[in-house]
């Protein structure tokens, strides 16, 4: 007993220009379900048989122009709310069943939001069967009398079929019938009343041109894709009440022909529509459905019902199945009911429902991504990898999109306004899917056996067709008289019989003549028809010759255009190569130009840094020498003034001696006046040279003294002694002299407490402020005359209240004019600051903070900027003092060292 194996047909390698170059777009159809309530707002309108229009419902956001946006979408066919299941089946599913019987694969799936009528379209309802029962009914109506006996075809786990002989099939049937619980339902049983109305289809539908010289077997399987796992809904699991077993997920495998299949999936052989739908209904009860906020029975998984048709030719005698596996064909029709896409904020999903919705939306998004990549590869000629493996749904049907069969999609739409946004996304996906093209499947090969062998050896009953005609002719003749001779001398019977036969002979001659006349007339008509037919043939031939001439001319024109096209393509190729060379040269030159530009920028930056460094060095050197020159000039000037003062005093004494009129003893000045003058001065300075820090103050103070006063006082010294002149000169110099040390001044204050107030005023006039820590802080106060200071002593100092810290502190930004402008990214900047080049009392009086920008050369020769910060305080004399608190340093270095 031998067995042969059958396998899924794989697309053979066919030369260029064959049928495989032809591609058909994915057929996308739209079905609009009726509204649940008549008063509901509708957002979908059927424009014609191929177009629907979406209206933006009330309450949704408008477009940019402020108008409601209306969008139209085109499909291969649009079915309105009054479309019956029969009309939908005749247009969409009937061609797929016809291809299935002729050995071609097909895929039909329904797509839409939850509650849009996908399961109703696929399964139907009592009294209105859907696409699935109608497909089964058409299959068994077409192959009912040509089906093989049960178990002649036997499936295995490698996506192929084994063919058994009649003896093995009989043993298998007896073995299954002996089992206590038959796994395969019997086709003789009546249909279950629960679904009997669904499969009771009144319309008779049958495929055309069914191969009568083959036998057929139908196998069905039912799986679901739940949370991206595959489960077999027809798998028989023994019920264990103590420890129930969970269903095991299945794996996707690839057979030797690179076709995808579910390993270990149960395939049941069925012989009738009732038996097949009973198997489907048994698996449908195991499918996962749940109650959501939008749908009472919402599908929580994708279901795939596969109908596999096995076809094998009969042998040469037409009695048994041909035992050659190369002649066996397996075609498959997959009916997919996709779970509806949904939004969790509308379905109010939680827990497992939320997880299911996420996996459903993810698988549908992967399907949409695959469609977009396929469209992009076909439209733009790219070769991007299609992500079939990202989802079990797309991975299972990978072969269909690669050209293993036709693909049809029914988009189900719920026209209510609440589903507007979801319906819009569904329409966009359908628009993308329509642009995807799938290769046209290849026709099956002819087995090469003589057709009609099934009925060749049946017994024939002879020319049965001639009997009615003979009887009718015999009835038209006159009846024969009785031919029985009762007596030897009977002379009447034979003459009557002869007369009847002569009448029949004459009637036969008349009929023969009439037949001859009719034959002649028919021949004339036939000749006339033949002549007209020949004339028409000649006319048609002339037209064909003219068309052939036109076609030959067009072919020559096409050849000329093809040659011209090739020449232009060659020129374009040369130009593209030249352009590529020029672009490469251009890129190289641009890179070289950019490198040179960067080099120039670096050199320019180094040059500017070097210039800034040299400028800083020159500025610092110049300032240093200017200060040194000023110090030397001031020291020399002070020394000369001291010498001049000594000489002047000597000359005054000499003049007083020479111009004395009387030899009597000169009158001595009053001691009281000398004491008063001594008390008014704070410290008696010596005419020795002072330090360099106070030279600028003394020089500025000397400008305040007028020369006329000096001459006038010198002229009046004739009646004054030398000691009084010296004391008066010391009093004039006392406001401009600086105390040598602080401890001597403090000791003098303790000895003369009455003069403390005068000393404080004098010190403030000199620009010094004594703090509690005995620290001398320079202040920026204006130098005014003695009379103004004397008036200020008696004036009360107004107390200035500090502003709140929350209002923000204002700064005095002191930037000397000698600073060099650097090009660093970080620059000292304080918002709302008063910028000055020389510190002044007016600016300090308005602010609470002080900032001095100081520049100097570092040890490596780079310019180093220091920001010296301090707080501004008001002194008792009305001036401002600064106490430095912080120093920030900003330095610029070269990255190459």
């Amino acid at each position: 007993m031998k067995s042969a194996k059958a396998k899924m047909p794989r697309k053979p390698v066919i030369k260029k220009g064959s049928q495989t170059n032809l591609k058909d777009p994915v057929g996308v159809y739209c079905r609009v379900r009726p509204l649940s309530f008549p008063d509901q707002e509708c957002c979908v309108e059927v424009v014609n048989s191929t177009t629907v229009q979406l209206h933006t419902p009330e309450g949704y956001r408008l477009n940019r122009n402020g108008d409601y946006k209306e969008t139209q979408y085109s499909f291969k066919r649009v079915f309105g709310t009054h479309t019956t299941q029969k009309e939908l089946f005749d247009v969409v599913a009937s061609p797929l069943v016809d291809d299935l019987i002729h050995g071609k694969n097909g895929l039909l799936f329904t797509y839409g939001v939850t509650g849009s009528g996908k399961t109703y379209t696929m399964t139907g309802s009592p009294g209105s069967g859907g696409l699935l029962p109608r497909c089964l009914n058409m299959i068994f109506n077409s192959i009912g009398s040509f089906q093989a006996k049960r178990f002649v075809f036997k499936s295995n786990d490698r996506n192929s079929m084994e063919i058994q002989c009649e003896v093995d099939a009989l043993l298998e049937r007896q073995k299954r019938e002996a089992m206590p619980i038959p796994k395969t339902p019997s086709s003789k049983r009546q249909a279950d009343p629960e679904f009997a109305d669904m499969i009771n289809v009144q319309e008779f539908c049958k495929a055309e041109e069914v191969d009568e010289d083959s036998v057929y077997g139908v196998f069905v399987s039912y799986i679901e894709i739940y949370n991206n796992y595959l489960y077999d809904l027809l798998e028989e699991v023994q019920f264990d009440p103590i420890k129930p077993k969970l269903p095991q997920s299945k794996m996707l495998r690839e057979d030797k022909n690179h076709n995808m299949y579910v390993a270990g999936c149960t395939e049941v052989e069925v012989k009738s529509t009732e038996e097949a739908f009973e198997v489907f209904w048994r698996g449908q009860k195991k499918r996962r459905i749940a109650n959501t906020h939008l749908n009472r029975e919402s599908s929580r998984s994708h279901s795939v019902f596969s109908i596999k048709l096995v076809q094998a030719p009969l042998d040469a005698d037409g009695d048994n199945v041909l035992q050659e596996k190369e002649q066996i064909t397996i075609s498959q029709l997959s009916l997919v009911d996709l779970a509806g896409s949904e939004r969790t904020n509308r379905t109010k999903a939680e827990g497992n429902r939320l997880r299911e919705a996420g996996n459903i939306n993810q698988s549908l998004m992967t399907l949409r991504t695959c469609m977009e990549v396929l469209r992009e590869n076909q439209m733009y000629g790219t070769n991007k990898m299609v992500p079939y493996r990202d989802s079990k749904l797309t991975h299972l049907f990978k072969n269909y999109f690669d050209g293993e069969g036709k693909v049809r999609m029914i988009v189900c739409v719920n026209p209510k306004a609440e589903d507007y946004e979801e319906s819009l996304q569904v329409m966009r996906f359908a628009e993308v899917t329509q642009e995807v093209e799938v290769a046209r499947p290849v026709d099956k090969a002819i087995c090469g056996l003589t057709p009609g062998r099934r009925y060749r050896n049946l017994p024939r009953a002879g020319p049965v067709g001639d009997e009615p005609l003979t009887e009718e002719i015999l009835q038209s003749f006159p009846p024969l008289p009785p031919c029985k001779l009762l007596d030897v001398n009977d002379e009447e019977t034979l003459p009557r019989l002869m007369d009847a036969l002569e009448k029949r002979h004459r009637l036969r001659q008349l009929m023969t003549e009439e037949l001859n006349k009719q034959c002649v007339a028919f021949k004339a008509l036939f000749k006339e028809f033949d002549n007209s037919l020949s004339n028409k043939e000649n006319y048609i031939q002339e037209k064909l010759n003219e068309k052939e001439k036109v076609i030959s001319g067009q072919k020559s024109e096409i050849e000329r255009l093809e040659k011209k096209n090739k020449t232009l393509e060659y020129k374009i190729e040369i130009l593209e190569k030249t352009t590529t060379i020029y672009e490469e040269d251009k890129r190289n030159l641009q890179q070289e130009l950019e490198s040179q530009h960067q080099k120039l920028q670096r050199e320019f930056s180094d040059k500017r840094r070097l210039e800034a460094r040299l400028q800083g060095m020159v500025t610092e050197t110049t300032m240093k020498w200017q200060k040194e020159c000023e110090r030397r000039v001031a020291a020399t000037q002070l020394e000369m003034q001291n010498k001049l003062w000594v000489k002047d005093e000597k000359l005054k004494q000499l003049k007083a001696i020479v111009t004395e009129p009387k030899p009597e003893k000169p009158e001595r000045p009053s001691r009281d006046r000398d004491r008063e003058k001594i008390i008014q001065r704070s410290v008696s300075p010596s005419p020795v040279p002072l330090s360099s820090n106070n030279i600028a103050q003394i020089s500025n103070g000397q400008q305040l003294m007028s020369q006329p006063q000096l001459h006038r006082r010198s002229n009046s010294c004739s009646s004054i002694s030398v000691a009084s002149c010296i004391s008066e000169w010391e009093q004039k110099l006392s406001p401009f002299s600086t105390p040598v040390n602080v401890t001597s001044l403090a000791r003098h204050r303790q000895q003369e407490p009455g003069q403390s107030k005068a000393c404080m005023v004098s010190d403030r006039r000199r620009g010094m402020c004594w703090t509690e820590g005995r620290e001398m802080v320079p202040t920026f106060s204006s130098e005014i005359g003695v009379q103004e200071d004397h008036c200020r002593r008696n004036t009360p100092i107004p107390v200035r209240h500090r502003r709140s810290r929350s209002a923000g502190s204002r700064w005095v930004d002191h930037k000397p004019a000698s600073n060099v402008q650097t090009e660093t990214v970080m620059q000292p900047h304080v918002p709302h600051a008063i910028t000055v080049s020389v510190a002044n009392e007016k600016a300090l009086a308005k602010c609470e903070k002080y900032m001095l920008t100081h520049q100097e050369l570092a040890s490596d020769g780079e310019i180093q900027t220091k920001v010296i910060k301090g707080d501004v305080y008001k002194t008792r004399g009305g001036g401002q003092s600064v106490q430095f608190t912080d120093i920030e340093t900003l330095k610029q270095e070269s990255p190459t060292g």
Side-chain angles (χ1 to χ4, degrees):
M1 292 181 292
K2 299 181 181 180
S3 62
K5 298 180 181 179
K7 54 187 177 181
M8 294 286 288
R10 177 157 175 82
K11 193 166 51 175
V13 179
I14 299 179
K15 296 181 181 180
K16 186 176 180 180
S18 63
Q19 190 179 3
T20 53
N21 288 333
L22 300 176
K23 291 186 177 182
D24 297 323
V26 176
V28 181
Y29 303 85
C30 179
R31 185 178 192 182
V32 183
R33 65 161 289 177
L35 292 171
S36 302
F37 303 101
D39 56 346
Q40 277 186 319
E41 184 181 1
C42 181
C43 65
V44 179
E45 178 187 357
V46 179
V47 179
N48 51 41
S49 61
T50 59
T51 308
V52 294
Q53 181 170 314
L54 263 70
H55 305 279
T56 305
E58 297 288 341
Y60 280 79
R61 56 178 180 270
L62 309 179
N63 59 356
R64 295 182 179 178
N65 298 329
D67 301 328
Y68 284 99
K69 187 177 181 180
E70 296 180 353
T71 312
Q72 289 188 354
Y73 296 93
S74 299
F75 297 89
K76 192 171 183 179
R77 180 75 179 271
V78 176
F79 299 95
T81 57
H82 302 290
T83 303
T84 61
Q85 300 278 45
K86 168 66 175 172
E87 295 175 1
L88 183 67
F89 171 77
D90 291 340
V91 177
V92 181
S94 179
L96 294 179
V97 177
D98 191 73
D99 289 343
L100 176 72
I101 295 174
H102 291 87
K104 298 177 184 179
N105 299 327
L107 172 64
L108 173 63
F109 58 96
T110 56
Y111 181 83
V113 301
T114 180
S116 58
K118 301 182 297 300
T119 305
Y120 170 78
T121 300
M122 188 62 69
T123 308
S125 62
S128 178
L131 298 180
L132 191 147
R134 292 177 184 273
C135 289
L136 293 172
N137 191 28
M138 180 176 177
I139 291 172
F140 288 106
N141 287 340
S142 303
I143 65 169
S145 59
F146 307 133
Q147 292 189 70
K149 293 182 180 180
R150 198 182 296 273
F151 302 116
V152 170
F153 297 105
K154 185 179 180 180
S155 63
N156 56 19
D157 294 335
R158 294 182 296 276
N159 199 29
S160 59
M161 287 286 174
E162 296 178 355
I163 302 179
Q164 301 185 120
C165 63
E166 292 290 340
V167 178
D168 292 339
L170 179 61
L171 292 176
E172 186 74 20
R173 286 196 298 271
Q174 292 176 355
K175 180 180 177 181
R176 294 298 179 97
E177 289 175 359
M179 295 176 62
I181 302 176
K183 184 176 180 180
T184 304
S186 176
S187 60
K188 297 180 180 179
R189 290 188 303 173
Q190 293 183 355
D192 192 344
E194 189 176 0
F195 57 84
D197 292 339
M198 293 186 184
I199 61 176
N200 188 14
V201 180
Q202 300 295 332
E203 300 86 359
F204 182 82
C205 188
K206 182 180 178 181
E208 298 179 357
E209 298 180 1
V210 180
D211 188 5
E212 298 178 349
D213 296 323
S214 299
V215 292
Y216 301 88
V218 181
F219 293 81
V220 295
S221 61
Y222 197 17
I223 63 171
E224 72 169 350
I225 305 174
Y226 176 71
N227 287 339
N228 208 25
Y229 288 98
L230 295 167
Y231 295 98
D232 185 5
L233 295 177
L234 302 181
E235 185 177 14
E236 295 291 340
V237 180
Q238 294 183 357
F239 178 72
D240 190 356
I242 300 174
K243 189 178 180 181
K245 294 182 180 180
L246 296 176
Q248 296 295 323
S249 62
K250 303 297 181 180
M251 298 293 294
L252 271 179
R253 298 288 175 81
E254 190 176 29
D255 61 9
K256 63 172 71 175
N257 296 319
H258 305 286
N259 293 315
M260 305 305 301
Y261 71 98
V262 181
C265 179
T266 305
E267 292 183 341
V268 182
E269 185 178 8
V270 292
K271 295 297 180 182
S272 64
T273 304
E274 294 79 6
E275 185 180 348
F277 201 82
E278 183 179 353
V279 174
F280 164 77
W281 198 255
R282 189 177 69 201
Q284 184 74 2
K285 292 180 180 179
K286 297 181 182 180
R287 189 183 176 190
R288 292 173 173 87
I289 59 173
N291 184 11
T292 64
H293 189 69
L294 298 181
N295 193 357
R296 186 171 58 87
E297 293 183 356
S298 176
S299 302
R300 312 311 297 168
S301 63
H302 310 299
S303 66
V304 182
F305 187 78
S306 299
I307 305 171
K308 187 178 291 186
L309 183 67
V310 185
Q311 180 179 355
L314 297 172
D315 56 7
D317 296 332
D319 296 332
N320 300 316
V321 181
L322 185 66
Q323 298 290 319
E324 292 182 8
K325 59 182 180 181
E326 292 82 6
Q327 299 296 335
I328 299 169
T329 304
I330 300 176
S331 55
Q332 182 171 319
L333 174 62
S334 298
L335 304 176
V336 185
D337 182 13
L338 295 177
S341 60
E342 58 186 32
R343 293 191 177 183
T344 55
N345 58 351
R346 294 190 60 208
T347 58
K348 309 300 181 184
E350 295 178 354
N352 291 333
R353 302 288 87 79
L354 183 62
R355 181 165 171 261
E356 292 166 357
N359 287 302
I360 291 170
N361 294 335
Q362 181 63 34
S363 61
L364 295 178
M365 183 60 67
T366 304
L367 177 62
R368 180 170 185 170
T369 304
C370 293
M371 292 295 180
E372 290 177 351
V373 175
L374 283 171
R375 183 189 66 166
E376 184 177 353
N377 289 342
Q378 293 171 4
M379 292 181 65
Y380 304 107
T382 57
N383 195 17
K384 290 185 178 180
M385 186 183 70
V386 184
Y388 291 120
R389 295 178 178 268
D390 291 351
S391 173
K392 291 290 193 303
L393 177 66
T394 54
H395 196 194
L396 179 61
F397 300 117
K398 165 182 172 294
N399 305 104
Y400 290 96
F401 296 106
D402 290 341
E404 292 292 340
K406 290 184 179 180
V407 181
R408 297 288 182 267
M409 182 176 75
I410 300 176
V411 176
C412 299
V413 181
N414 193 340
K416 65 178 181 179
E418 290 80 1
D419 290 346
Y420 170 75
E421 293 185 358
E422 289 85 350
S423 300
L424 194 63
Q425 298 297 326
V426 169
M427 292 296 181
R428 290 172 181 171
F429 170 68
E431 192 175 27
V432 172
T433 307
Q434 286 185 107
E435 299 177 0
V436 177
E437 294 182 346
V438 178
R440 188 174 296 177
V442 183
D443 295 333
K444 70 173 184 177
I446 301 174
C447 64
L449 297 174
T450 305
R453 54 189 179 277
R454 178 186 288 271
Y455 300 109
R456 183 188 303 166
N457 297 326
L458 293 178
R460 298 185 179 181
V464 183
D466 296 338
E467 293 179 357
L469 181 61
T470 306
E471 292 178 357
E472 184 179 356
I473 293 174
L474 291 175
Q475 289 178 0
S476 62
F477 286 103
L480 293 174
C483 300
K484 190 174 181 181
L485 295 175
L486 300 177
D487 191 5
V488 179
N489 299 319
D490 189 2
E491 296 179 357
E492 296 179 359
T493 303
L494 291 177
R496 284 199 300 270
L497 181 60
M498 290 174 63
D499 293 338
L501 291 175
E502 287 178 357
K503 290 180 180 179
R504 286 198 171 199
H505 180 66
R506 287 195 299 270
L507 184 60
R508 183 175 178 275
Q509 287 181 349
L510 292 174
M511 292 177 67
T512 303
E513 292 176 358
E514 185 69 23
L515 179 62
N516 292 331
K517 291 180 182 179
Q518 291 180 359
C519 286
V520 171
F522 180 75
K523 286 181 180 179
L525 291 174
F526 186 75
K527 279 186 178 180
E528 185 179 355
F529 178 74
D530 191 16
N531 293 331
S532 63
L533 184 63
S534 61
N535 294 332
K536 289 182 179 180
E537 286 181 353
N538 294 331
Y539 177 75
I540 292 172
Q541 189 66 33
E542 291 177 358
K543 290 292 183 180
L544 287 175
N545 293 333
E546 293 178 0
K547 294 294 183 182
E548 285 179 356
K549 290 181 181 179
V550 174
I551 290 172
S552 61
Q554 291 179 352
K555 284 183 178 178
S556 60
E557 181 69 17
I558 289 171
E559 290 177 356
R560 185 183 66 80
L561 292 175
E562 285 180 351
K563 290 180 180 179
K564 185 177 179 180
N565 189 21
K566 288 181 179 179
T567 306
L568 293 176
E569 286 179 354
Y570 179 71
K571 290 181 180 180
I572 289 172
E573 186 177 358
I574 295 174
L575 291 175
E576 286 179 350
K577 291 181 179 178
T578 308
T579 305
T580 305
I581 295 172
Y582 285 159
E583 287 180 352
E584 186 68 24
D585 294 341
K586 181 182 177 182
R587 283 195 296 269
N588 295 333
L589 291 175
Q590 284 181 350
Q591 292 177 0
E592 186 178 355
L593 181 63
E594 289 178 357
S595 61
Q596 294 292 336
H597 181 68
Q598 292 176 359
K599 186 177 179 181
L600 286 175
Q601 289 290 338
R602 287 195 299 269
E603 291 179 355
F604 181 67
S605 178
D606 294 341
K607 181 180 177 182
R608 284 188 296 180
R609 194 190 296 91
L610 184 59
E611 288 178 354
R613 187 187 301 174
L614 292 176
Q615 185 178 359
M617 294 173 64
V618 170
T619 303
E620 186 175 359
T621 306
T622 303
M623 292 176 63
K624 187 184 296 182
W625 282 107
Q626 285 180 356
K627 291 179 180 179
E628 183 65 22
C629 291
E630 290 176 358
R631 187 185 63 79
R632 292 182 181 181
V633 168
T636 306
Q637 186 177 4
L638 184 59
E639 185 179 359
M640 296 302 294
Q641 286 179 358
N642 289 336
K643 290 180 180 181
L644 183 61
W645 179 77
V646 172
K647 288 181 180 180
D648 193 15
E649 287 296 322
K650 290 180 180 180
L651 287 175
K652 286 179 180 179
Q653 293 176 5
L654 183 59
K655 183 178 179 181
I657 295 171
V658 171
T659 57
E660 187 176 359
K662 295 179 181 181
E664 58 185 18
K665 189 175 182 179
E667 184 180 355
R668 200 168 178 177
S670 176
R671 295 280 185 177
D672 297 333
R673 187 180 60 182
D674 293 340
R675 288 196 189 97
E676 292 175 0
K677 292 180 180 179
I678 291 172
I679 290 171
Q680 290 177 2
R681 57 190 176 90
S682 60
V683 180
S684 298
S686 62
V688 297
L690 300 176
S691 63
S692 61
N693 294 330
N694 302 319
I695 292 175
Q697 294 182 4
I698 295 173
S699 61
N700 293 332
Q702 288 177 354
Q703 294 176 3
L704 297 175
M705 300 174 62
S706 59
Q707 293 296 331
Q709 291 179 357
L710 292 175
H711 289 292
R712 185 169 59 251
R713 290 192 180 186
S714 63
N715 294 331
S716 62
C717 285
S718 59
S719 61
I720 303 173
S721 63
V722 177
S724 63
C725 291
I726 292 173
S727 63
E728 185 177 359
W729 182 258
E730 288 176 352
Q731 289 177 6
K732 292 177 180 178
L733 284 179
S734 62
F736 308 104
S737 62
T738 304
V740 178
N741 55 13
V742 180
T743 56
S744 62
L745 182 59
R747 191 179 301 114
H748 183 73
R749 287 177 180 173
Q750 292 175 1
Q751 292 175 0
E752 298 179 4
Q755 296 180 357
S756 62
K757 196 173 293 185
C759 291
M760 291 293 289
V761 175
S762 177
D763 291 341
R764 292 193 191 95
R765 194 178 300 126
R766 294 190 193 101
M768 310 299 291
C769 178
W770 303 94
T771 60
E772 294 179 0
R774 291 299 185 184
E775 182 181 0
M776 183 174 64
V777 181
T779 61
F780 302 96
S781 59
S782 59
E783 298 293 340
I784 55 177
V786 178
Q787 295 179 1
E788 187 177 351
D789 282 343
H790 181 70
C791 296
R792 189 185 294 174
R793 292 176 194 167
N794 301 326
T795 305
I797 300 172
V799 179
R800 181 167 65 95
H801 298 283
R802 275 194 173 276
R803 295 192 300 167
S804 174
R805 289 291 183 182
S806 62
S809 302
R810 294 198 64 184
W811 289 73
V812 175
D813 189 3
H814 183 187
K815 293 183 179 179
S818 60
N819 284 1
V820 179
Q821 184 67 27
T822 60
E823 296 183 357
T824 58
V825 178
M826 293 186 292
Q827 294 285 344
H829 175 70
V830 179
H832 309 295
I834 300 176
T835 305
V836 296
S837 58
V838 178
N840 56 76
E841 185 182 5
K842 185 176 180 181
L844 289 171
K846 296 180 180 180
C847 302
E848 293 83 15
K849 297 286 185 179
Y850 173 77
M851 182 176 69
L852 171 64
T853 305
H854 173 65
Q855 290 182 342
E856 62 182 11
L857 286 179
S859 59
D860 56 353
E862 295 286 346
I863 296 178
Q864 182 174 337
T865 303
K866 290 186 177 181
V867 179
I868 306 171
K869 299 184 292 185
D871 297 330
V872 180
Y873 294 96
K874 183 177 179 182
T875 61
R876 292 179 60 84
Q880 308 293 330
S881 64
V882 177
Q883 184 176 1
F884 295 105
T885 59
D886 191 13
I887 296 177
E888 295 181 4
T889 304
L890 180 64
K891 184 178 179 182
Q892 185 178 6
E893 295 181 357
S894 175
T896 59

